[in-house]
């Protein structure tokens, strides 16, 4: 799940929600196909919704590795998994999922399932002090990791106008990228922009005047762009996907040459499921998972991206832009030992 603020045509300004509902839960379970004794790497533990569900299916003998940049969410996820599946082994990794492959290899762990449910959680969106929502006044922060080096205020108040404009164009797909950046630079001369409400009203003063009535809040794209930049979301996703490709290539090479398998953080036959919420992410997921298939290292578990059905859409508006893609690593599965 995510607020994600995706710039899709059907996006409506999000209403506050206090209860976390994981997206596509049945589809995640069906396509990752968990079995007893397996190891799950949940790259984005969040509030533990998906992990708790899958943890019950890897018993007896299974392991759930939880990773999150947000220490508060990591603790919540751990508690939820412990409650749902008290006998499951839990490994909690605070940090960026881009580092999870290396950390698993160092710990001598290998995953049978990898899940990444991108974006941010309801707990983060609902907490005004995180500065993620244009619906709540708060400091212009947006960091998933509260100890991260750069806040949204840092970017808005210090980036040169041209860089700010490119950020809005590339990560927000904001049609008025030049005008918004120009206005932000003008406004910050009067004093640093430090709150979500001031940022939202500046953006609305530029974007709100264009086009006809829209169901999309004019601040949506700017908030998304800044959040993606603050958390280096595209870079982290790229690193994770490249690590999957590299691991699959190692599994394939060691099976082909009959060399002793080097320790790899993925098991042959592992299933990789990525849930994305906007076209920038989905494009990258589609491209890298597609490369895995064309290189003969994996196969699609579902030919099309999996989306929420009418029942889920009716109860969980966050699911409306979710796309799940799943591949299975076939490299190394025919190794003779
Ligand atoms: C949409 S929520 C996950 C919700 C979870 N699937 C559930 O069912 O509760 C996304 C989570 O991923 C975390 N996150 C986002 N980017 C991350 C990254 N690069 N590395 C680790 N965690 C990340 C966020 O802090 C947030 O807690």
């Amino acid at each position: 799940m995510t607020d994600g603020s995706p710039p899709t045509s059907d996006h409506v300004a999000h209403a506050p929600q206090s209860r976390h509902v994981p997206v596509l839960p049945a589809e995640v379970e069906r396509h990752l196909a968990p079995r007893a004794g397996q190891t799950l790497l949940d790259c984005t533990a969040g509030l533990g919704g998906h992990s708790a569900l899958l943890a019950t299916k890897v018993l007896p003998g299974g392991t759930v590795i939880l990773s999150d940049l947000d220490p508060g969410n990591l603790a919540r996820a751990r508690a939820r998994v412990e409650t749902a599946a008290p006998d499951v082994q839990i490994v909690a990794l605070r940090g960026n999922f881009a580092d999870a492959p290396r950390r698993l290899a160092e710990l001598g762990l290998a995953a049978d399932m990898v899940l990444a449910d991108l974006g941010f959680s309801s707990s983060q969106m609902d907490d005004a002090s995180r500065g993620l929502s244009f619906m709540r006044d708060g400091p212009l922060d947006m960091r998933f990791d509260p100890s991260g080096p750069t806040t949204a205020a840092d970017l808005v108040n210090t980036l040169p106008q041209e860089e700010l404009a490119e950020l809005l164009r590339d990560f927000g797909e904001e049609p008025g990228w030049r005008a918004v950046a120009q206005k932000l630079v003008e406004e910050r001369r009067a004093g640093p922009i430090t709150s979500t409400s001031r940022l939202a009203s500046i953006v609305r003063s530029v974007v709100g005047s264009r086009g006809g009535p829209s169901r999309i809040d004019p601040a949506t794209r700017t908030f998304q762009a800044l959040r993606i930049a603050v958390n280096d979301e595209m870079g982290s996703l790229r690193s994770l996907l490249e690590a999957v490709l590299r691991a699959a290539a190692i599994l394939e090479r060691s099976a082909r040459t009959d060399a002793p398998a080097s320790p790899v953080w993925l098991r042959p036959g592992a299933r990789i499921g990525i849930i994305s919420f906007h076209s920038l992410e989905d494009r990258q997921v589609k491209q890298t998972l597609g490369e895995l298939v064309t290189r003969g290292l994996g196969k699609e578990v579902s030919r099309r991206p999996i989306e929420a059905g009418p029942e889920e859409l009716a109860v969980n508006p966050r699911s409306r832009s979710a796309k799940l893609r799943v591949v299975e690593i076939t490299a190394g599965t025919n190794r003779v030992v």
Side-chain angles (χ1 to χ4, degrees), residues 1-2 17-23 44-50 73 80 117 120-123 126 316 318:
M1 60 113 294
T2 191
Q17 285 202 357
S18 52
R19 227 179 75 75
H20 171 86
V21 186
V23 296
T44 51
L47 301 179
H50 288 116
N73 272 1
R80 192 158 172 188
D117 172 19
F120 58 98
S121 67
S122 53
S123 59
D126 292 346
N316 188 3
R318 297 168 195 273

Side-chain angles (χ1 to χ4, degrees), residues 4 28 41 48 61 96 106 121 173 186 191 195 262 282 293 303 336:
V28 165
L41 166 61
N96 196 316
E106 282 169 8
S121 67
E173 297 179 323
E186 272 167 34
S195 71
S262 35
D282 186 54
V293 175
R303 285 179 67 81
V336 182

Side-chain angles (χ1 to χ4, degrees), residues 31-35 38-39 111-114 247-248 251-252 266-272 297-299 301 326-335:
H31 290 86
L32 289 185
R35 281 179 282 127
Q38 288 193 322
T39 296
D112 301 288
M113 291 169 280
V114 177
L251 289 171
E252 196 271 333
L266 276 184
R267 287 223 174 82
R271 290 196 170 188
I272 319 294
L297 302 170
K299 67 175 185 199
V301 175
V326 186
V327 294
E328 181 177 312
I329 305 293
T330 51
T333 46
N334 54 0
R335 183 184 173 83

